[in-house]
Amino acid sequence: ALITPAVMSALRTAKRTQISTELSQLHSAIEAYKAQYGSYPPSNKAAFQNHLRNIFINIADSEVTGLPNMDNAQILVFALRGYSPDKRRPITGAGERKPFFDFKPDRLDTSVTPARYSAPNTTKPYVYFDCSRYPTTNSTENYSNTGTAKPYKLPSGQGGGYANAKSFQIISSGLDNDYGNDTGYVLDSNGIKEAHTDNLTNFSEGKP
């Protein structure tokens, strides 16, 4: 009876560590994407279409207009899988792609196109927000799937604005598979708070 709680706590910590490790790897992959293309991948379809025109000057218009509908979870996978070496048709063209991240096939949700990618030990996908495009906290971007993932904000005493305002946020639902429903999404001095205590991100460990 005394040992069981300690064992369960250790197992939970190990599972959360797996998510944190992968979040760090995804963070590095997004930074590598920026290093190659000059900016972070946008986290909504309209901005992503403009992004493609900027990074592939001679891209065929059909590549841009034919871009599938993508939410904040799908864009993360779409961008990090890389592009075709065919600069005119980087989306549909032939040739070997060089992915920025090694997605595990068993955690890719291919019931949607593009796919979403679940964190280890969860059934919910990582959600991505490109905060570098939003100087204030007026973005309406979110991802609704057992709770609602929105970009986290800083307290007014820390200047307000978004956490990681000059870069991006990657959010995991944590082991409870629930992003939470706090409309504030404001961080306290210890990281993610209240309804989101189980969430993990690329900038805060949260509080289980």
Side-chain angles (χ1 to χ4, degrees):
L2 292 172
I3 292 173
T4 299
V7 171
M8 295 301 293
S9 177
L11 288 173
R12 183 181 178 86
T13 298
K15 290 178 179 180
R16 286 172 57 83
T17 298
Q18 282 186 278
I19 299 175
S20 295
T21 298
E22 192 165 78
L23 277 165
S24 178
Q25 294 167 349
L26 285 166
H27 182 102
S28 296
I30 293 290
E31 290 291 358
Y33 183 101
K34 182 189 178 186
Q36 180 162 337
Y37 294 114
S39 64
Y40 297 117
S43 47
N44 66 72
K45 178 182 175 180
F48 205 95
Q49 288 174 310
N50 291 331
H51 174 70
L52 289 174
R53 288 192 171 99
N54 288 333
I55 64 176
F56 299 109
I57 303 301
N58 297 316
I59 189 171
D61 191 60
S62 60
E63 294 284 278
V64 178
T65 58
L67 198 68
N69 289 326
M70 298 186 287
D71 60 34
N72 300 66
Q74 291 169 291
I75 280 178
L76 179 67
V77 177
F78 185 86
L80 294 184
R81 278 181 154 176
Y83 303 108
S84 163
D86 183 340
K87 301 301 182 184
R88 182 153 175 76
R89 301 189 182 279
I91 309 300
T92 63
E96 183 179 358
R97 299 173 184 239
K98 295 181 179 179
F100 293 89
F101 182 81
D102 181 22
F103 291 102
K104 307 297 185 291
D106 61 319
R107 286 194 273 126
L108 280 170
D109 175 12
T110 57
S111 67
V112 292
T113 303
R116 300 185 183 108
Y117 188 61
S118 297
N121 309 302
T122 80
T123 60
K124 301 303 174 185
Y126 292 108
V127 182
Y128 167 75
F129 296 101
D130 174 21
C131 297
S132 69
R133 297 174 185 270
Y134 301 105
T136 60
T137 56
N138 62 355
S139 170
T140 58
E141 288 186 25
N142 65 76
Y143 176 79
S144 298
N145 187 322
T146 313
T148 302
K150 297 179 181 178
Y152 284 95
K153 297 181 286 188
L154 297 173
S156 57
Q158 296 181 30
Y162 288 117
N164 274 22
K166 295 183 179 180
S167 57
F168 55 91
Q169 300 181 20
I170 306 174
I171 301 171
S172 164
S173 68
L175 301 180
D176 65 354
N177 292 310
D178 190 341
Y179 298 104
N181 290 298
D182 184 347
T183 57
Y185 290 81
V186 178
L187 304 181
D188 64 16
S189 59
N190 295 310
I192 297 169
K193 71 169 189 175
E194 295 175 357
H196 310 289
T197 53
D198 187 64
N199 291 6
L200 293 108
T201 77
N202 62 314
F203 58 88
S204 175
E205 290 299 314
K207 299 180 295 180

